[in-house]
Amino acid sequence: MNDQKESSQSIQNQVLTNDTHHSQNFYLSDHILRHYLRKNLDKSAIEYLDPKLMKLGEQAAKEMDELSLKADKHPPELTKRTPEGEKAERIEFHPAYQKMLKMAVESEMIYLKYEPDLKERFKGLRHQMGFAAGQLFAMSEVGLYCPLCMTDGAAYVLENYAGDERVQKIIKKLSSRTEEEVFTGAMFLTEKSGGSDVGRNITKAERVEGKTYRLTGEKWFCSNVNAEIMMVLARTGREKEGTRGLSLFLVEKYLEDGSRNPLNIIRLKEKLGVRSMATGEVELTSTLGTRLGEEGNGFKLMANMINMSRLYNSLTAVAAARRAIVESWEYLNHRVIFGKRAVEHPLIRQKFHELGSLHIANFLLVWQAIKKLDSVEDGHDEQKAGYRTLLPMAKWWSAETAVYMVRECMELMGGNGYIEDFIMPKLLRDVNVLPIWEGSGNVIVLDILRSLDKANGFNQLVKEMEASFGDEEFGELLKKETKQIKGILASISNDNREELEATAKPLFKRFIHVYQMHLMIEDKDKKSKKWLHPALSYMKDMPGEKLGVRKPLPLQEIENLIGWKY
């Protein structure tokens, strides 16, 4: 009898129930991602990608958390001198970082985009395929996903110069499938004087001969500062104001003779999050660089890398928020409070209704931007304007909501969610950089406004939405909201900058919300309606936040909405 009593007490004295388990493969578990890929990629792409996603999905679920936490707790260290007093400029990483880099490059998330045969074979799909692997990877490791972003971005810029044999060799290195051979990339863009206002940059480049220049100046915020390949902006020729005087340079860590290119890493920055990768301040000291494109045209070329980085930023937001949701979902399915499983309580079901809906809305928004990039590359020029407007919208909104979603998931887990033994504190630190990287919120809103001036992107997105106006349940709301948004925009003169900027944020938030509902309607089919219908119902009521009696969804419908089997 006493033994039975002690056994009963032992069972009660635990955080989670005895049947606790976790996903063993993030790819297999995620119904929403898998369904989307099968719907949007052709059979050949799925057959090529599936084994790689299966492997990466298992690594992300089983091995990467431990590696990620180790790399976070043991950030890179800069060695400036050898014991003998010689200059070193060496950055050392924890072995866990290198192991994760190996997983990333072997997944082919970058390789399949630039290997010539695969690039041709999967024309119009390559970015969707690469980002599919990226979403799985970033669910466990956000820090290293930044250097991968820089690497892809550098290759993306350089492929415009693929006729150059030297450049072609560099692209091959940047997209290598082996950790031993891979080069990583970096973007040395911002300076003390301006930050996001690149037009205030003062770093200069003086011609040596041909396209070779010596660069002199400081770069203030250099992510992946240990990169072998750097894209660097500097002023050339006759002094011009703003971005018009900037040229873009390819800077290599090592020169052709094997010697080190003169470049002084002043220090590594101590950051709130993404600690596993090296961000530093750099002094260019007559650093040799090769000009890409024409003098004064550098920012336009660098914009291609910035836009790629914004896609990475957006996908990271989706991946991190997804991880937070499923982490808290798995936890609360095995946490007993007030006599029943936590997820059975209406307040918690209501919170998961919100979080699941926000995830689906952001997932479709970001993947629509990725899909548009593939479409533009495939020759659909009519998509350019829409992509130009959609991309900053996706970056801004996915980042802003990811911070909120991760915080809410931490609260759902209670005290344990706040403890460093779990992944949630690291996730929260990491996602807080996303609204800042690649243009902070206010800068992004200004960029959206510029896209309205220069392109017809807003009208193109509105035209897309008109296909959903006929939806029986939600079409009338979309039509009404769209008309109101267009009316407000039309009422403000482009010359009245004060009113335009003051109105922009709430207006664009509402437009994004309506466009996300359109994407849900468009994506709805026999299978996906299980998670899309409850998400649409939430989105329909969300803008007004009207008071009234609400009925929480049954647990089964919340499970359908989360779309996660573990």
Side-chain angles (χ1 to χ4, degrees), residues 240-260:
K240 293 181 181 178
E241 291 184 359
T243 60
R244 292 175 298 168
L246 296 172
S247 299
L248 180 62
F249 295 90
L250 163 63
V251 174
E252 300 175 65
K253 182 187 283 188
Y254 297 102
L255 303 175
E256 288 188 42
D257 62 4
S259 62
R260 183 119 182 183

Side-chain angles (χ1 to χ4, degrees), residues 61 78 255 306 351 507 537:
L78 172 63
L255 303 175
I306 294 169
K351 176 53 67 174
L507 190 70
S537 297

Side-chain angles (χ1 to χ4, degrees), residues 346-412:
L347 278 171
I348 291 177
R349 296 206 310 272
Q350 190 71 8
K351 176 53 67 174
F352 275 118
H353 189 184
E354 176 196 17
L355 295 172
S357 300
L358 291 177
H359 168 68
I360 290 168
N362 285 346
F363 174 89
L364 291 175
L365 181 72
V366 171
W367 277 91
Q368 179 74 351
I370 297 169
K371 189 160 65 171
K372 278 190 182 293
L373 175 58
D374 270 333
S375 183
V376 169
E377 283 192 356
D378 200 27
H380 297 277
D381 290 344
E382 74 281 0
Q383 296 287 338
K384 284 183 179 179
Y387 174 67
R388 172 70 181 85
T389 301
L390 179 60
L391 178 57
M393 285 183 171
K395 189 275 171 188
W396 172 47
W397 194 239
S398 63
E400 185 163 316
T401 49
V403 175
Y404 167 77
M405 293 163 74
V406 175
R407 197 212 71 84
E408 292 294 291
C409 289
M410 175 182 278
E411 183 181 338
L412 278 172

Side-chain angles (χ1 to χ4, degrees), residues 140-176:
S140 282
E141 169 59 10
V142 170
L144 177 52
Y145 199 52
C146 171
L148 295 170
C149 159
M150 297 288 103
T151 303
D152 192 356
Y156 190 61
V157 171
L158 288 174
E159 71 177 345
N160 291 313
Y161 308 92
D164 185 317
E165 186 178 346
R166 173 168 157 249
V167 168
Q168 191 60 42
K169 287 179 180 178
I170 292 173
I171 293 174
K172 190 173 181 179
K173 284 282 193 179
L174 289 167
S175 57
S176 174

